[in-house]
Every structure is written in C-alpha cells, then in structure tokens.
Amino acid sequence: MKSAFIFPGQGSQSVGMLADAAGNWPIVEQTFSEASDVLGYDLWHLCQHGPAEELNRTMVTQPALLTASVALWRQWLVSDGPRPDFVAGHSLGEYSALVAAESLNFLDAVKLVSLRGELMQEAVPAGEGKMAAILGLEDNDVAAACEQAAGDDVVSAVNFNAPGQVVIAGSAAAVDRAIEACKEKGARKAMPLPVSVPSHCALMKGAAEELAGALDEVTFNDAVIPVVQNASALAGQDRDTLKANLVRQLYSPVLWTDSMRHLVSEGVSVAVECGSGKVLAGLAKRIDRGLAVHGIEQPDLLAAAIQAASAKK
C-alpha cells in the first residue's frame, strides 16, 4: 500500500496557526524566517498576531500557507518520516507539493506565490468578481447552471472539491445569477464566499500569462516524487509538464475529487495533510472513506502519522 502528502490552499489560514508546532520544533520559525527575508516583512509575526484582515489578503495568505506547509514537511523529514509515493496540493497547495517533490526551490516558490496573489488581486478590481459554494448538486448540474447564467459574462465551476461540493467563480452579477439557477435545480445551499478574487476561472487568464513569464525565470526540475496536479488530476514528474499545468491551474478548475480518486486508484490508502487545519481531511471523507488522512501539526499527531505511513510501506 502507498502513501501521499496533500497540501492545503487558501481558506486553511488562521491567526495563531502553527503556534504549538513552533513551540516544539525550531525548524518552523526558521522556515518562516527564510520566507520573511524574501518577502521583506515578518511573516511569522503576522501569522501569530494578525490582524486577520491582513493575513487574509491573497498576496499574504499564499506565502503564509506555503511556508507553513514547507515547515511541517521539513519537520517530517528530520523526524525520519518516510517519503510519500505521491504529493498533491489544493490550488495554492500545488506549490507546496512541488517544493516537497524538489521540482521547485522553496525561496523561489515564496516569491512566486506572493506574485501570484498580487496578480490575482489585480486581475479583477475589487467588487467585480465573486465566488460561491454550491452544496448538494451533481457536478454537471452546477456546470449547466453556470452556462445558463453566464450570458455575456464569465461564471464557471472552478473547484470540484468533493461529491456535492463545488465552488463557482466569475463576474459578480453572473455568479449571483448562477446561485439562483443552482437553487432552482435543488441545491441544498448556494452561498457567496467572503473572497474578492474569482480564482480558477477565465478572468484569471491575463494573470496566468504574467505568471508564466515569472515561472520562466526560475529553475524547474523534474519531480523526485510524482505530483498529482489540479489541472489534469494525473501524476507527473516532467518539469515542462509540471510548469505548464501550474500556469493552466490559475484559470482552470481544481479537479480535487478526481485527484484524490487518482491517488486511491494508484494504491494510496494513507494521506498526510501537511499544513494548517483539517480542510482536506474533511473533503477526503466525502470522496473516499477508505483513505485515512492524518494531520501533523502536533508531536503526537506527527508520531501517529509516521507510524501509519511507515506501516504501509
């Protein structure tokens, strides 16, 4: 049996995250110090003390979550945790996965995700974009509702997070229309999300083009661990493919349900959520209850995860 590491994306951040981990593991604050030197501000202080409004700014959230994930990954390695058979990351988390797979240098990744957040924020002026969570509808019904509501605007299904849990994004007015269309189709819930950036839809194509230029300026290596990517839901190691899918990811749907199912089809039965919170563990329960997901934010959790991952080797 096999194991995988899964890395969370935006929405997993919180003021005070990894405080307990830092109290036990010096490598946590050391990793944040490296990121702070690149960013030009004290990322650890911001994560610990907020304010939340600042931490939730896309261009801050992205390096914060990347750094948290890489810190825990480093702690796993120094604790003699076994290397996983696969890695995957949800949206932003794909950058963390690429660092773990040694395809991307950590400090390059910090710069890239900070820029990514800035480009995403600039791509659509505040108030003009929107995202919404749709619960209790089949994927194709959500897609049909978006098509019905779009008109001359942009709205599409962008995060296929779990069966019956899809996020849509696009122009604010079109998202509002799609919410009503989803309700008419029988959605259990259809609610706007408190974000200003409509991620993973066609409105991000301009940002993706600028990001592609930045990606060309950093070194990409073939991955030493297969990476299951959002845009394809397939595992790959070729650096050119990894980079191309990273660009495509910015304006294409996050195929998380299919990504998790691909891992299971490859024989993965244990996954480690490497980052703040338990968002991905919650989604995994809805996707495949046979996939055991372990967090590693505290020493007892880390020890249990290492034991579970080692038992499957």
Side-chain angles (χ1 to χ4, degrees):
M1 304 298 280
K2 299 175 182 176
S3 67
F5 259 61
I6 52 179
F7 298 87
Q10 287 188 240
S12 291
Q13 74 276 8
S14 62
V15 173
M17 65 183 187
L18 264 61
D20 291 343
N24 291 289
W25 303 319
I27 205 166
V28 172
E29 286 198 61
Q30 175 191 320
T31 304
F32 272 85
S33 178
E34 291 174 28
S36 296
D37 288 345
V38 168
L39 295 168
Y41 60 86
D42 191 335
L43 184 61
W44 178 250
H45 186 272
L46 200 158
C47 287
Q48 295 312 300
H49 303 287
E53 295 77 16
E54 180 68 13
L55 180 58
N56 291 338
R57 287 176 62 221
T58 299
M59 66 233 2
V60 175
T61 307
Q62 297 201 28
L65 288 172
L66 168 78
T67 304
S69 286
V70 170
L72 291 176
W73 168 251
R74 288 175 169 180
Q75 183 59 43
W76 175 271
L77 294 179
V78 300
S79 302
D80 294 325
R83 285 185 180 267
D85 298 285
F86 296 92
V87 293
H90 188 286
S91 186
L92 161 75
E94 190 161 287
Y95 287 79
S96 306
L98 289 166
V99 172
E102 299 177 26
S103 180
L104 191 56
N105 173 273
F106 170 53
L107 297 184
D108 285 338
V110 171
K111 295 173 191 173
L112 285 170
V113 299
S114 179
L115 175 65
R116 180 179 183 263
E118 192 177 327
L119 293 173
M120 290 169 71
Q121 195 73 63
E122 292 174 352
V124 180
E128 293 189 13
K130 203 168 191 175
M131 298 183 79
I134 311 299
L135 306 181
L137 274 189
E138 297 290 331
D139 292 354
N140 56 355
D141 287 331
V142 177
C146 288
E147 189 174 344
Q148 171 189 328
D152 294 329
D153 297 321
V154 170
V155 61
S156 58
V158 296
N159 287 4
F160 295 96
N161 287 333
Q165 185 174 331
V166 179
V167 174
I168 64 174
S171 307
V175 170
D176 286 339
R177 293 194 298 269
I179 286 173
E180 294 308 311
C182 287
K183 288 178 179 176
E184 289 171 9
K185 290 180 179 291
R188 182 163 50 83
K189 277 189 180 179
M191 52 195 179
L193 295 174
V195 295
S196 59
V197 177
S199 306
H200 304 294
C201 72
L203 297 177
M204 289 292 127
K205 278 200 171 179
E209 290 170 7
E210 291 192 60
L211 181 65
L215 286 167
D216 284 338
E217 295 176 10
V218 302
T219 300
F220 260 80
N221 302 307
D222 291 344
V224 300
I225 305 168
V227 183
V228 179
Q229 294 194 274
N230 292 179
S232 64
L234 297 173
Q237 291 177 266
D238 171 70
R239 62 185 177 184
D240 293 331
T241 302
L242 295 172
K243 185 160 71 168
N245 279 335
L246 204 56
V247 174
R248 191 157 66 97
Q249 182 223 59
L250 203 54
Y251 59 87
S252 302
V254 174
L255 304 177
W256 192 249
T257 301
D258 288 345
S259 295
M260 293 300 96
R261 286 175 173 162
H262 180 73
L263 288 175
V264 172
S265 75
E266 291 285 350
V268 171
S269 61
V270 171
V272 173
E273 182 165 4
C274 188
S276 175
K278 303 176 181 177
V279 171
L280 300 183
L283 295 179
K285 287 179 183 176
R286 298 176 61 90
I287 297 169
D288 192 313
R289 287 194 167 272
L291 184 61
V293 181
H294 297 262
I296 55 171
E297 286 184 83
Q298 283 107 29
D300 57 334
L301 297 177
L302 177 67
I306 289 175
Q307 184 176 15
S310 300
K312 298 297 178 183
K313 293 296 178 184

